Amino acid sequence: MNNRTEGRRPRRKRKWTTQRKNLHIATWEGVPSTIFQVLLQGQFLTGFLLYLGATSGEIGLVLALTTLVNIGQIAVAFFIQKLESRKWALVLFIGLQRVLWVSTGLVPFLFPKPYWVTAFIGLYALAFIVNTAGGMLWSSVISDLVPPRVRGRYFGIRNTMLNALGSIVVYAGGIVLDMYPGGKGFLIIYIVVWIFAALNIAVFLFYPDVHFEKSDESKFLPMLKKPLQDSLFIKSTLFLSLWLLLQNVTVPLYSYVMLQLMDINYRTLSLLNVTQTVFMMASFYFWGNLNARYSNKRLLFWTLPIIAVSSLIWGLLSVLPTLAVLLTAHVVFGVGVGGFNQLAFNFIIGDTPKKERPMYMATYAALTGVAAFFGPLLGGKIYEWIAGWPHSIQVYGLQLVVGGLMLVLIVLIGRRVLRDY
């Protein structure tokens, strides 16, 4: 017998614990969810609305709706305290939201052309009204499912994997729409969407019904007062709401500017979005390492100037090649927004009391949602107002104004609110 073989110890298989199984399910649930959501958002949402005949103002309204309905999460946070089981409520609301959302693809087949945009907005609004319950329930379940000691690492790995998948899907979707422009391309996209939405609902059936540590309060107003009376939390949340209002004036409408005003094709737009996602994924590791040394709030502050600079970079379109400027702007924005999203989530689920976390989450979602609602709504209207202005102002003028206002907001308020105490 080989001596080297004799000296080796047999490898022990890692024990498949209930906790590992639950995390595995939560990770794989994100795969079909990412595929169908990527194909229903961003450039694909904007492109489909343009195909339906929507104006920039109507596109801004659609982009804003998803955040406005978050105010309903406050009521949901109270009512979930009455549930004996969160799992089946989660499956019900998630399933209904998925069906309503993907049904927007049936609009051209079910309604006369003059009503396409109205019908789309109606279905889309219903889907995200239902999502106030589904989203709140998922956030509550996932925060209890993932242990605090592995939370940073787990979400870092999960986000990286799903964003990598999303990048591939974005690029593939862009190729499909360039190969099959108009209704045929969107029909293919929606067939894929229906398949993966159904798979996503199916995977939720395997989610565990984890223990729910309920609030000490049983009445609505005392429960709501907990986050409202937390001065550090509420000041930070109000500031971030104002920030998202500014950011959403331009960022959700980038696809509209590039598709409608700059005549950029879907494949190029997909490459830009993939590049942004790649740098956002890389930034998860960067911000995660910094998070081991610095607080969530301090790092959140550091992400803000990066996002502001990404908006100002658009002004370089006046002197530099278009693709180089757009690529740089997307790279910088990816680094900044990757950190912002990750740290804002950690701030909500890590820096808040566990028993009161649903109401803290709901309060944050409601305040930031109302503010973010007015961003794309205002941005869409501004693009309508400046339709007759010089082309250069339409393309990058608003980004320069918003980037400048962001820097002012950082200096005047941000450094005071997001400091460590």
Side-chain angles (χ1 to χ4, degrees):
M1 184 179 291
N2 191 313
N3 291 332
R4 286 190 296 178
T5 304
E6 287 180 351
R8 287 178 184 170
R9 293 181 179 180
R11 289 184 179 180
R12 293 182 180 179
K13 291 184 178 180
R14 294 180 67 184
K15 190 177 180 181
W16 191 253
T17 63
T18 301
Q19 184 183 97
R20 286 189 66 216
K21 178 183 175 183
N22 292 343
L23 294 180
H24 196 68
I25 292 169
T27 301
W28 281 104
E29 174 271 316
V31 172
S33 177
T34 296
I35 292 172
F36 92 83
Q37 289 191 58
V38 162
L39 293 174
L40 290 178
Q41 293 177 329
Q43 68 194 55
F44 304 107
L45 173 59
T46 302
F48 189 58
L49 286 167
L50 289 171
Y51 166 71
L52 295 180
T55 65
S56 63
E58 289 168 333
I59 292 172
L61 173 62
V62 170
L63 295 173
L65 282 172
T66 57
T67 55
L68 178 66
V69 295
N70 282 344
I71 195 170
Q73 289 195 17
I74 290 178
V76 176
F78 173 71
F79 284 113
I80 66 171
Q81 303 290 331
K82 312 297 181 184
L83 295 175
E84 293 300 323
S85 166
R86 287 176 294 178
K87 174 180 176 176
W88 296 112
L90 173 67
V91 172
L92 172 65
F93 284 105
I94 287 287
L96 183 56
Q97 191 266 349
R98 298 320 193 223
V99 170
L100 286 168
W101 195 5
V102 298
S103 294
T104 56
L106 300 175
V107 164
F109 301 99
L110 299 179
F111 299 92
K113 191 169 184 177
Y115 300 101
W116 281 2
V117 176
T118 303
F120 180 95
I121 292 173
L123 282 170
Y124 193 81
L126 281 174
F128 282 90
I129 288 171
V130 173
N131 193 56
T132 58
M136 181 77 255
L137 284 161
W138 183 84
S139 297
S140 173
V141 169
I142 201 73
S143 66
D144 289 338
L145 191 149
V146 183
R149 67 180 183 277
V150 300
R151 192 172 285 155
R153 185 180 175 207
Y154 172 75
F155 283 115
I157 294 171
R158 185 179 190 270
N159 290 342
T160 300
M161 184 187 80
L162 296 182
N163 277 282
L165 173 63
S167 298
I168 297 170
V169 175
V170 165
Y171 186 63
I175 292 174
V176 168
L177 291 182
D178 277 339
M179 290 177 62
Y180 305 99
K184 188 173 182 180
F186 285 112
L187 176 61
I188 295 170
I189 293 291
Y190 267 96
I191 289 172
V192 174
V193 160
W194 271 103
I195 292 170
F196 284 97
L199 287 173
N200 185 228
I201 296 169
V203 177
F204 270 107
L205 296 173
F206 296 93
Y207 252 62
D209 201 359
V210 292
H211 173 70
F212 184 24
E213 195 169 338
K214 298 183 180 182
S215 171
D216 293 327
E217 303 290 346
S218 59
K219 295 182 178 180
F220 178 73
L221 285 179
M223 197 181 297
L224 179 59
K225 285 180 180 178
K226 290 287 181 73
L228 295 179
Q229 292 175 344
D230 186 335
S231 61
L232 299 182
F233 168 80
I234 206 66
K235 286 178 182 178
S236 301
T237 300
L238 289 173
F239 168 74
L240 294 175
S241 299
L242 183 56
W243 177 267
L244 289 171
L245 168 62
L246 266 179
Q247 179 179 297
N248 281 15
V249 169
T250 56
V251 172
L253 291 156
Y254 282 172
S255 293
Y256 168 79
V257 172
M258 290 183 281
L259 288 171
Q260 190 76 351
L261 301 179
M262 302 177 71
D263 293 323
I264 290 176
N265 60 40
Y266 281 101
R267 187 174 302 192
T268 302
L269 187 53
S270 295
L271 280 172
L272 290 170
N273 286 327
V274 166
T275 302
Q276 177 179 301
T277 303
V278 167
F279 277 85
M280 184 170 68
M281 290 188 315
S283 78
F284 291 152
Y285 180 78
F286 169 75
W287 294 111
N289 283 341
L290 287 176
N291 206 188
R293 299 172 55 193
Y294 302 103
S295 71
N296 291 317
K297 287 174 68 174
R298 179 181 290 191
L299 291 178
L300 260 177
F301 175 76
W302 289 357
T303 67
L304 305 184
I306 300 174
I307 295 172
V309 167
S310 74
S311 185
L312 293 172
I313 287 172
W314 280 72
L316 295 176
L317 287 169
S318 60
V319 294
L320 295 177
T322 297
L323 188 57
V325 173
L326 293 178
L327 193 64
T328 304
H330 279 75
V331 166
V332 175
F333 182 73
V335 173
V337 82
F340 183 92
N341 292 340
Q342 182 171 321
L343 292 161
F345 185 73
N346 289 347
F347 168 62
I348 297 302
I349 70 169
D351 295 357
T352 54
K354 184 177 180 180
K355 289 186 177 181
E356 311 302 330
R357 192 169 293 150
M359 189 57 77
Y360 271 80
M361 288 179 175
T363 303
Y364 177 86
L367 292 175
T368 56
V370 169
F373 166 77
F374 290 102
L377 198 63
L378 178 60
K381 285 297 180 184
I382 290 174
Y383 280 113
E384 286 185 357
W385 296 335
I386 65 175
W389 292 25
H391 187 257
S392 59
I393 293 178
Q394 294 185 61
V395 170
Y396 58 80
L398 188 56
Q399 287 89 316
L400 288 176
V401 172
V402 168
L405 290 174
M406 284 178 167
L407 291 178
V408 171
L409 192 63
I410 291 168
V411 173
L412 294 183
I413 304 176
R415 63 180 181 177
R416 286 188 295 160
V417 172
L418 295 180
R419 69 176 186 262
D420 291 321
Y421 289 84

